[in-house]
Short mmCIF file of all heavy atoms in Angstrom, two decimals:
data_model
loop_
_atom_site.label_atom_id
_atom_site.label_comp_id
_atom_site.label_asym_id
_atom_site.label_seq_id
_atom_site.Cartn_x
_atom_site.Cartn_y
_atom_site.Cartn_z
N ALA A 100 187.97 141.03 3.52
CA ALA A 100 188.42 141.76 2.32
C ALA A 100 187.26 142.54 1.70
O ALA A 100 187.44 143.68 1.25
CB ALA A 100 189.01 140.78 1.31
N LEU A 101 186.07 141.92 1.68
CA LEU A 101 184.89 142.59 1.13
C LEU A 101 184.52 143.81 1.96
O LEU A 101 184.22 144.88 1.41
CB LEU A 101 183.72 141.60 1.08
CG LEU A 101 182.38 142.16 0.57
CD1 LEU A 101 182.51 142.63 -0.88
CD2 LEU A 101 181.28 141.11 0.70
N ALA A 102 184.54 143.66 3.29
CA ALA A 102 184.20 144.78 4.18
C ALA A 102 185.14 145.96 3.97
O ALA A 102 184.70 147.11 3.91
CB ALA A 102 184.25 144.32 5.63
N GLN A 103 186.42 145.66 3.83
CA GLN A 103 187.38 146.73 3.61
C GLN A 103 187.12 147.44 2.27
O GLN A 103 187.18 148.67 2.18
CB GLN A 103 188.81 146.19 3.63
CG GLN A 103 189.87 147.30 3.60
CD GLN A 103 191.27 146.76 3.42
OE1 GLN A 103 191.50 145.83 2.65
NE2 GLN A 103 192.22 147.36 4.13
N ALA A 104 186.79 146.66 1.24
CA ALA A 104 186.50 147.25 -0.08
C ALA A 104 185.26 148.12 -0.02
O ALA A 104 185.21 149.20 -0.62
CB ALA A 104 186.33 146.14 -1.11
N VAL A 105 184.23 147.68 0.72
CA VAL A 105 182.98 148.44 0.85
C VAL A 105 183.24 149.76 1.58
O VAL A 105 182.73 150.82 1.17
CB VAL A 105 181.92 147.60 1.60
CG1 VAL A 105 180.71 148.46 1.98
CG2 VAL A 105 181.46 146.43 0.73
N VAL A 106 184.03 149.72 2.64
CA VAL A 106 184.36 150.93 3.40
C VAL A 106 185.15 151.91 2.52
O VAL A 106 184.92 153.12 2.57
CB VAL A 106 185.15 150.57 4.67
CG1 VAL A 106 185.72 151.83 5.33
CG2 VAL A 106 184.25 149.84 5.66
N LYS A 107 186.06 151.38 1.71
CA LYS A 107 186.86 152.24 0.83
C LYS A 107 185.99 152.93 -0.22
O LYS A 107 186.36 153.99 -0.74
CB LYS A 107 187.95 151.41 0.14
CG LYS A 107 189.14 151.09 1.04
CD LYS A 107 190.21 150.32 0.28
CE LYS A 107 191.43 150.07 1.15
NZ LYS A 107 192.48 149.30 0.43
N LEU A 108 184.83 152.34 -0.53
CA LEU A 108 183.90 152.95 -1.49
C LEU A 108 183.07 154.06 -0.84
O LEU A 108 182.28 154.71 -1.51
CB LEU A 108 182.98 151.89 -2.08
CG LEU A 108 183.61 150.93 -3.09
CD1 LEU A 108 182.63 149.82 -3.46
CD2 LEU A 108 184.05 151.68 -4.35
N GLY A 109 183.23 154.23 0.48
CA GLY A 109 182.53 155.32 1.16
C GLY A 109 181.29 154.90 1.93
O GLY A 109 180.58 155.75 2.45
N TYR A 110 181.03 153.59 2.01
CA TYR A 110 179.87 153.11 2.75
C TYR A 110 180.25 152.84 4.20
O TYR A 110 181.36 152.40 4.50
CB TYR A 110 179.33 151.81 2.14
CG TYR A 110 178.77 151.97 0.75
CD1 TYR A 110 179.55 151.67 -0.37
CD2 TYR A 110 177.47 152.43 0.55
CE1 TYR A 110 179.04 151.82 -1.66
CE2 TYR A 110 176.96 152.57 -0.74
CZ TYR A 110 177.74 152.28 -1.83
OH TYR A 110 177.25 152.43 -3.10
N ALA A 111 179.31 153.11 5.11
CA ALA A 111 179.48 152.74 6.51
C ALA A 111 178.88 151.36 6.70
O ALA A 111 177.87 151.03 6.08
CB ALA A 111 178.79 153.75 7.43
N ILE A 112 179.51 150.54 7.52
CA ILE A 112 179.00 149.19 7.74
C ILE A 112 178.71 148.97 9.22
O ILE A 112 179.27 149.64 10.08
CB ILE A 112 180.00 148.11 7.24
CG1 ILE A 112 181.32 148.19 8.03
CG2 ILE A 112 180.25 148.26 5.75
CD1 ILE A 112 182.27 147.05 7.73
N ARG A 113 177.84 148.01 9.48
CA ARG A 113 177.59 147.59 10.86
C ARG A 113 177.90 146.10 10.96
O ARG A 113 177.43 145.29 10.18
CB ARG A 113 176.15 147.88 11.30
CG ARG A 113 175.05 147.35 10.41
CD ARG A 113 173.67 147.69 10.95
NE ARG A 113 172.61 147.23 10.05
CZ ARG A 113 172.05 148.00 9.12
NH1 ARG A 113 172.44 149.26 8.98
NH2 ARG A 113 171.08 147.52 8.33
N HIS A 114 178.73 145.78 11.93
CA HIS A 114 179.21 144.42 12.15
C HIS A 114 178.08 143.63 12.83
O HIS A 114 177.60 144.03 13.88
CB HIS A 114 180.44 144.51 13.06
CG HIS A 114 181.22 143.26 13.13
ND1 HIS A 114 182.40 143.15 13.83
CD2 HIS A 114 181.02 142.03 12.59
CE1 HIS A 114 182.88 141.94 13.73
NE2 HIS A 114 182.07 141.23 12.98
N THR A 115 177.66 142.53 12.24
CA THR A 115 176.50 141.80 12.78
C THR A 115 176.85 140.44 13.39
O THR A 115 176.12 139.95 14.24
CB THR A 115 175.45 141.58 11.69
OG1 THR A 115 176.03 140.83 10.61
CG2 THR A 115 174.94 142.91 11.16
N HIS A 116 177.95 139.81 12.93
CA HIS A 116 178.30 138.47 13.42
C HIS A 116 179.81 138.35 13.59
O HIS A 116 180.58 139.01 12.89
CB HIS A 116 177.82 137.38 12.45
CG HIS A 116 176.34 137.28 12.31
ND1 HIS A 116 175.60 138.19 11.56
CD2 HIS A 116 175.44 136.40 12.83
CE1 HIS A 116 174.32 137.85 11.62
NE2 HIS A 116 174.21 136.78 12.38
N GLY A 117 180.20 137.46 14.49
CA GLY A 117 181.62 137.26 14.75
C GLY A 117 182.39 136.64 13.60
O GLY A 117 183.62 136.68 13.58
N ASP A 118 181.67 136.06 12.63
CA ASP A 118 182.35 135.45 11.48
C ASP A 118 182.57 136.43 10.34
O ASP A 118 182.90 136.04 9.23
CB ASP A 118 181.56 134.24 10.98
CG ASP A 118 180.16 134.61 10.48
OD1 ASP A 118 179.81 135.80 10.51
OD2 ASP A 118 179.41 133.70 10.08
N GLY A 119 182.37 137.73 10.63
CA GLY A 119 182.67 138.76 9.64
C GLY A 119 181.50 139.23 8.80
O GLY A 119 181.65 140.08 7.94
N ARG A 120 180.32 138.69 9.08
CA ARG A 120 179.14 139.18 8.34
C ARG A 120 178.82 140.61 8.76
O ARG A 120 178.98 140.98 9.92
CB ARG A 120 177.94 138.27 8.58
CG ARG A 120 177.93 137.01 7.73
CD ARG A 120 176.76 136.11 8.08
NE ARG A 120 177.01 135.36 9.31
CZ ARG A 120 176.10 134.59 9.90
NH1 ARG A 120 174.88 134.51 9.40
NH2 ARG A 120 176.39 133.93 11.00
N PHE A 121 178.39 141.40 7.80
CA PHE A 121 178.10 142.80 8.07
C PHE A 121 176.97 143.29 7.17
O PHE A 121 176.59 142.61 6.21
CB PHE A 121 179.35 143.66 7.85
CG PHE A 121 179.83 143.69 6.41
CD1 PHE A 121 179.39 144.66 5.52
CD2 PHE A 121 180.72 142.73 5.94
CE1 PHE A 121 179.82 144.67 4.20
CE2 PHE A 121 181.16 142.74 4.62
CZ PHE A 121 180.71 143.71 3.75
N GLU A 122 176.43 144.44 7.51
CA GLU A 122 175.39 145.08 6.70
C GLU A 122 175.80 146.52 6.42
O GLU A 122 176.64 147.09 7.14
CB GLU A 122 174.05 145.05 7.45
CG GLU A 122 173.54 143.64 7.72
CD GLU A 122 172.38 143.59 8.70
OE1 GLU A 122 172.02 144.68 9.24
OE2 GLU A 122 171.84 142.50 8.95
N ILE A 123 175.23 147.10 5.37
CA ILE A 123 175.53 148.48 5.02
C ILE A 123 174.57 149.41 5.76
O ILE A 123 173.35 149.20 5.72
CB ILE A 123 175.43 148.70 3.50
CG1 ILE A 123 176.53 147.89 2.78
CG2 ILE A 123 175.56 150.18 3.14
CD1 ILE A 123 176.46 147.96 1.28
N GLU A 124 175.12 150.39 6.43
CA GLU A 124 174.30 151.38 7.14
C GLU A 124 173.41 152.12 6.13
O GLU A 124 173.85 152.45 5.04
CB GLU A 124 175.18 152.39 7.88
CG GLU A 124 175.94 151.83 9.06
CD GLU A 124 175.06 151.60 10.27
OE1 GLU A 124 173.83 151.82 10.18
OE2 GLU A 124 175.60 151.17 11.31
N GLY A 125 172.16 152.35 6.53
CA GLY A 125 171.23 153.03 5.63
C GLY A 125 170.27 152.09 4.95
O GLY A 125 169.31 152.52 4.32
#
């Protein structure tokens, strides 16, 4: 849910772990 909200704000994300952890590109 957090990843989807971050993407909707215009940020690109990179998927880092199978449990849904991610980082913001840049």
Side-chain angles (χ1 to χ4, degrees):
L101 178 62
Q103 188 188 40
V105 169
V106 169
K107 283 183 177 179
L108 287 173
Y110 294 97
I112 63 172
R113 53 180 177 266
H114 194 177
T115 59
H116 294 77
D118 62 1
R120 279 177 282 174
F121 65 91
E122 297 168 356
I123 295 176
E124 290 285 3

